[in-house]
Amino acid sequence: MKMKAKKLLIIYTGGTIGMMHSHRSKTLVPFDFGAITDQIPELNHLNCKIDYFAFKSPIDSSNVQPSFWVELAMVIEKKYNQYDGFVVLHGTDTMAYTASALSFMLENLSKPVIFTGSQLPLGAIRTDAKRNLITTIQLAASDTVIPEVCIYFSSQLFRGNRSEKYTSSKFDAFESYNYPILAETGVHIVVNTDVIRKKSTGKLLVHKKLDANIALIKIYPGINVEVIDSTLKTKNLKALVLETFGSGNAPTDKKFIGVLQQAIKRGVMIVNVSQCGGGAVEQGKYETSIHLKEIGVISGGDITTEAALAKLMFLFGQNLKALEVRKLFQKDLRGEMSKVI
Ligand code: ASP
């Protein structure tokens, strides 16, 4: 029996994928997205019905702000019942942040929301844009429904809140170090059904409140404790993501630990996330992480920095009590983390 053609919405937000070389300015500028099928006529031959929605002012994703995430989530919310899936064209620079944020904002997702972009603009001869876009459409229209916020790039489909942009020069720009690939596309498209999330039966809930009073510090040998202290004293700061070494290790220096401890006493939540892409934070494995545990630093387990920031913005945006945020942060909400050790 022939399946009914799926209906997809392609949302264009900006990024390299939608840019062309301007002969006048010699820089990359967004092209008229209305003419996408002139650029990729193959889109007319896919077995699905595609509609397009372009943001009024396409942006380089380095300009993404939480308000943009809200705008994007609202587009999906408004069109949710009309489509079987959504393809979001987005710059690669902050794609992992946006995909992470959307994964928390879109609760009870039962349809695919797949982000893609490209390293070379659509008009470039060796562009990766065409293949990325066409395959993303095929994945979003797949009979095996992938009810997640994902990123498709090169030949792999990743869980959005598990992915990181790891290279700005290779075509396979993304990695998911701590979670298996959801689908792989070569000659055949193989969806790894065992690792994709279960379709939610609940009604889609779109959370639009985010609190960006969060900070991020990557520690390094020689880091100035006063910089950490003043960051932690930022007005209204709710939480700090501390990027530590290896499995969650940091200096044992009294001044450093003291500054963190005082902040925790003032009510600032501190989350320990590793600088390593792969592996997890295990507070207490080494002497250099036991102090963090003792003063109340929360382990981020194997969460990515991008997902940790997005999760904190989402949780603090819900007007929850600090204790509740603490509890929920350590819980896997959207497949973003494995069990915290
Ligand atoms: N700067 C661009 C962006 O993130 C890079 C890209 O799209 O790959 O919007």
Side-chain angles (χ1 to χ4, degrees):
M1 195 178 70
K2 204 162 178 277
M3 298 285 278
K4 207 170 128 225
K6 298 238 177 146
K7 252 186 109 182
L8 301 182
L9 182 67
I10 300 188
I11 304 170
Y12 171 56
T13 71
T16 301
I17 192 163
M19 295 197 181
M20 302 287 270
H21 274 285
S22 151
H23 294 299
R24 227 178 324 140
S25 66
K26 302 273 180 266
T27 55
L28 285 170
V29 292
F31 79 93
D32 171 16
F33 196 72
I36 180 93
T37 46
D38 295 346
Q39 295 295 327
I40 317 183
E42 292 91 333
L43 292 178
N44 294 318
H45 308 299
L46 292 168
N47 182 28
C48 48
K49 218 187 139 318
I50 304 171
D51 288 333
Y52 302 92
F53 177 93
F55 271 54
K56 270 205 187 72
S57 317
I59 54 168
D60 182 304
S61 78
S62 300
N63 281 321
V64 158
Q65 293 287 336
S67 55
F68 163 86
W69 297 336
V70 175
E71 219 182 310
L72 179 56
M74 281 167 71
V75 172
I76 295 172
E77 178 181 38
K78 207 166 148 209
K79 310 274 182 183
Y80 195 70
N81 294 330
Q82 295 168 41
Y83 294 94
D84 299 302
F86 300 84
V87 169
V88 184
L89 303 182
H90 191 288
T92 56
D93 288 346
T94 60
M95 193 184 284
Y97 291 89
T98 301
S100 296
L102 267 284
S103 77
F104 296 112
M105 296 165 80
L106 305 176
E107 190 172 345
N108 293 336
L109 199 59
S110 62
K111 300 179 181 186
V113 174
I114 313 183
F115 282 75
T116 195
S118 67
Q119 294 283 52
L120 282 176
L122 194 51
I125 292 184
R126 288 193 309 109
T127 187
D128 51 333
K130 267 191 184 188
R131 227 177 66 182
N132 281 353
L133 176 55
I134 291 170
T135 315
T136 303
I137 291 171
Q138 291 185 319
L139 283 162
S142 159
D143 291 340
T144 310
V145 178
I146 306 163
E148 297 209 24
V149 178
C150 315
I151 289 181
Y152 176 76
F153 228 83
S154 203
S155 60
Q156 296 174 310
L157 182 74
F158 306 101
R159 176 168 294 163
N161 57 30
R162 289 287 194 156
S163 58
E164 296 175 49
K165 179 176 178 180
Y166 87 99
T167 171
S168 56
S169 59
K170 292 184 186 168
F171 280 146
D172 54 344
F174 288 86
E175 260 300 351
S176 163
Y177 296 103
N178 285 331
Y179 197 75
I181 283 149
L182 306 186
E184 206 145 2
T185 64
V187 172
H188 302 289
I189 294 182
V190 182
V191 181
N192 299 326
T193 43
D194 306 351
V195 296
I196 62 177
R197 282 173 72 75
K198 299 271 162 301
K199 197 167 161 174
S200 171
T201 48
K203 196 173 171 300
L204 178 78
L205 267 175
V206 183
H207 300 277
K208 296 168 198 144
K209 290 218 171 73
L210 299 167
D211 187 339
N213 287 302
I214 314 292
L216 164 68
I217 290 181
K218 176 174 184 160
I219 60 161
Y220 54 90
I223 191 166
N224 184 340
V225 177
E226 278 163 36
V227 174
I228 304 177
D229 193 30
S230 59
T231 302
L232 284 165
K233 285 181 177 150
T234 306
K235 201 170 157 226
N236 295 329
L237 189 78
K238 304 276 172 46
L240 171 77
V241 175
L242 192 67
E243 266 201 11
T244 56
F245 308 124
S247 53
N249 307 317
T252 48
D253 169 60
K254 279 209 173 69
K255 202 167 157 208
F256 169 75
I257 297 291
V259 156
L260 300 184
Q261 187 168 26
Q262 283 157 23
I264 292 170
K265 281 194 182 141
R266 290 195 301 274
V268 178
M269 187 170 144
I270 303 183
V271 172
N272 186 349
V273 174
S274 175
Q275 292 176 16
C276 297
V281 164
E282 289 179 59
Q283 294 195 132
K285 182 174 177 191
Y286 290 89
E287 198 205 341
T288 43
S289 65
I290 192 87
H291 304 297
L292 300 176
K293 190 176 182 172
E294 281 166 2
I295 62 169
V297 170
I298 296 168
S299 170
D302 64 356
I303 200 167
T304 62
T305 299
E306 291 87 336
L309 289 166
K311 191 171 182 178
L312 288 167
M313 288 191 202
F314 160 69
L315 290 174
F316 279 106
Q318 307 309 301
N319 251 333
L320 304 165
K321 295 228 164 58
L323 210 69
E324 189 69 4
V325 173
R326 227 186 132 82
K327 220 170 78 194
L328 286 174
F329 185 87
Q330 292 171 90
K331 215 175 136 191
D332 174 28
L333 302 180
R334 308 278 194 271
E336 74 283 4
M337 68 206 291
S338 315
K339 209 169 172 308
V340 173
I341 305 163

